């Protein structure tokens, strides 16, 4: 015999005891009379005693049935209340959302808009996990994540919020001292900083207007797990780095960095809101996705040089 309690049998017995009728219990539960009868019979066999005395015209609880009817009814009511609460939480935006976001992007562009979200949805709380490492949404129990990638993980449901461009940059002092690279081959042998969590690989891939493709594997004195950590070494004029536009934009605008090899571009990625499944996604997750889609825009960080 399974050690798992027969919750279905207990629920059916509780409803029959309440209605004093198999037919009425079946109607109330939305199942067939035969299903209710089998459920009660299965429970009786499991418990080793008769719960109901049945005749063609009458249905009555046995003495044993009286002893467990109240407990069975309480279990049924608590289960109904639990389901009702769960449905209400799924249908209306409330509860906690566990959200994973890349650290630099989260600090710059997500955290500053959260006060507006909390004003709009006071019944939702957010557990914000800031890390550039890609988390296992299902295994680590996250409701959603923001991911910056060329292509989203095909095992997840992804909603593209906006494009994210990437640039190869250097400080003017570096260019004065080492010269300006104009072709991807010119990067070979130069100090090019690395980022550990590139979505595809550690190879920089370029394409020009003619459709020519080039690939360079960066090599330099620093490799990081957060792109912001590359900035001081670049500003010091010691190296070249790949930076997303939402980080590089402010330094390009004030002239502390310059974009290299403007005839060559890197494949444009995107910012994606990803969830384990689109089916039965709670309202709290839906409204957060909509809010981020409305409020996060590349116009906030775009470089228009």
């Amino acid at each position: 015999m399974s050690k798992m309690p027969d919750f279905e049998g207990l629920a059916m017995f509780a409803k029959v005891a309440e209605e004093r009728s198999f037919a009425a219990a079946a109607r109330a539960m939305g199942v067939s009379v035969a299903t209710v009868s089998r459920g009660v019979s299965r429970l009786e066999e499991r418990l080793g005693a008769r719960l109901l005395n049945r005749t063609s015209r009458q249905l009555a609880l046995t003495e044993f049935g009286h002893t467990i009817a109240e407990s069975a009814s309480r279990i049924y009511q608590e289960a109904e209340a639990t389901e009702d609460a769960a449905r209400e939480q799924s249908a209306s935006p409330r509860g906690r959302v566990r959200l994973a976001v890349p650290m630099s992007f989260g600090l710059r562009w997500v955290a500053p808009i959260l006060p507006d979200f909390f004003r709009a949805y006071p019944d939702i709380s957010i557990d914000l996990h800031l890390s550039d490492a890609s988390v296992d949404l299902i295994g680590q129990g996250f409701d959603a994540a923001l991911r910056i990638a060329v292509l989203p993980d095909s095992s997840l449901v992804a909603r593209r919020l906006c494009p994210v461009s990437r640039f190869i940059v250097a400080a003017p002092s570096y260019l004065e001292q080492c010269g300006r690279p104009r072709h991807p081959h010119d990067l070979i042998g130069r100090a090019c900083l690395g980022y550990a969590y590139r979505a595809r690989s550690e190879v920089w891939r370029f394409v020009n207007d003619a459709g020519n493709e080039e690939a360079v594997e960066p090599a330099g004195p620093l490799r990081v797990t957060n792109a912001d950590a590359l900035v001081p070494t670049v500003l010091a004029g010691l190296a070249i780095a790949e930076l997303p536009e939402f980080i590089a934009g402010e330094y390009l605008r004030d002239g502390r960095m310059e974009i290299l090899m403007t005839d060559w571009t890197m494949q444009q990625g995107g910012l994606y809101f990803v969830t384990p499944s689109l089916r039965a996604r709670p309202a709290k997750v839906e409204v957060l996705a909509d809010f981020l889609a409305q409020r996060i825009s590349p116009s906030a960080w775009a470089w228009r040089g």
Side-chain angles (χ1 to χ4, degrees):
M1 183 194 311
S2 170
K3 294 183 179 180
M4 175 68 71
D6 186 356
F7 292 109
E8 184 182 62
L10 286 167
M12 290 179 174
F13 166 66
K15 204 63 179 174
V16 171
E18 176 186 339
E19 299 287 347
R20 290 296 194 270
S21 164
F22 277 85
R27 285 193 299 271
M29 302 181 80
V31 298
S32 69
V33 174
T35 297
V36 175
S37 180
R38 285 195 299 269
V40 174
S41 296
R42 185 181 65 244
L43 182 64
E44 289 177 325
E45 182 178 350
R46 180 187 181 92
L47 299 178
R50 183 176 290 277
L51 297 168
L52 298 161
N53 287 319
R54 311 169 179 84
T55 69
S56 59
R57 295 187 177 183
Q58 191 174 11
L59 182 69
L61 293 172
T62 64
E63 184 178 352
F64 178 66
H66 277 290
T67 63
I68 70 166
E70 183 177 348
S71 296
S73 179
R74 185 167 58 250
I75 291 170
Y76 182 78
Q77 291 170 5
E78 288 177 355
E80 277 190 320
T82 299
E83 285 196 353
D84 289 344
R87 278 194 293 266
E88 181 182 354
Q89 185 168 323
S90 296
S92 59
R94 66 179 64 201
R96 183 181 67 157
V97 178
R98 295 197 70 217
L99 176 67
V101 180
M103 182 172 290
S104 293
F105 188 86
L107 291 173
R108 278 178 169 82
W109 306 107
V110 177
I113 63 175
L114 287 182
D116 290 341
F117 179 80
F118 295 135
R119 291 187 189 101
Y121 301 101
D123 293 327
I124 298 179
S125 63
I126 294 178
D127 184 350
L128 185 63
H129 177 88
L130 294 170
S131 173
D132 286 9
S134 182
V135 301
D136 178 356
L137 265 67
I138 298 173
Q140 295 179 252
F142 284 95
D143 297 296
L146 290 181
R147 289 191 177 166
I148 299 169
V150 173
L151 291 174
D153 185 336
S154 60
S155 67
L156 301 171
V157 177
R159 175 179 178 180
R160 194 171 191 262
L161 302 185
C162 66
V164 176
S165 297
R166 297 173 294 146
F167 301 132
I168 301 299
V169 297
S173 58
Y174 174 90
L175 301 178
E176 290 173 7
Q177 182 177 354
C178 303
R180 179 183 293 272
R182 301 192 180 278
H183 188 281
H185 287 167
D186 297 339
L187 298 175
I188 298 173
R190 292 182 182 245
C192 296
L193 308 184
Y195 175 59
Y197 294 132
R198 289 190 91 251
R200 305 285 286 183
S201 70
E202 293 189 42
V203 176
W204 293 352
R205 301 186 185 278
F206 302 89
V207 64
N208 64 10
D209 291 339
N212 300 316
E213 297 182 4
E214 298 287 346
V216 176
E217 186 172 351
L222 179 65
R223 183 172 180 268
V224 302
T225 58
N226 179 266
D228 267 314
L230 300 173
V231 171
T233 301
V234 174
L235 293 178
L238 299 177
I240 294 169
E242 172 201 15
L243 290 177
E245 188 178 15
F246 62 80
I247 292 179
E250 64 175 290
Y251 304 107
L252 296 172
R253 283 189 287 273
D254 64 20
R256 286 182 288 169
M257 291 184 189
E258 296 182 22
I259 298 174
L260 309 183
M261 302 177 301
T262 54
D263 291 335
W264 295 81
T265 59
M266 308 188 82
Q267 187 174 8
Q268 188 181 69
L271 175 69
Y272 295 89
F273 185 89
V274 297
T275 54
S277 174
L278 190 63
R279 183 172 55 189
R281 194 158 65 183
K284 61 184 179 181
V285 176
E286 288 286 359
V287 297
L288 178 59
D290 291 341
F291 176 83
L292 294 175
Q294 293 167 6
R295 293 295 302 273
I296 293 177
S297 168
S299 63
W301 60 74
W303 163 243
R304 299 180 177 86

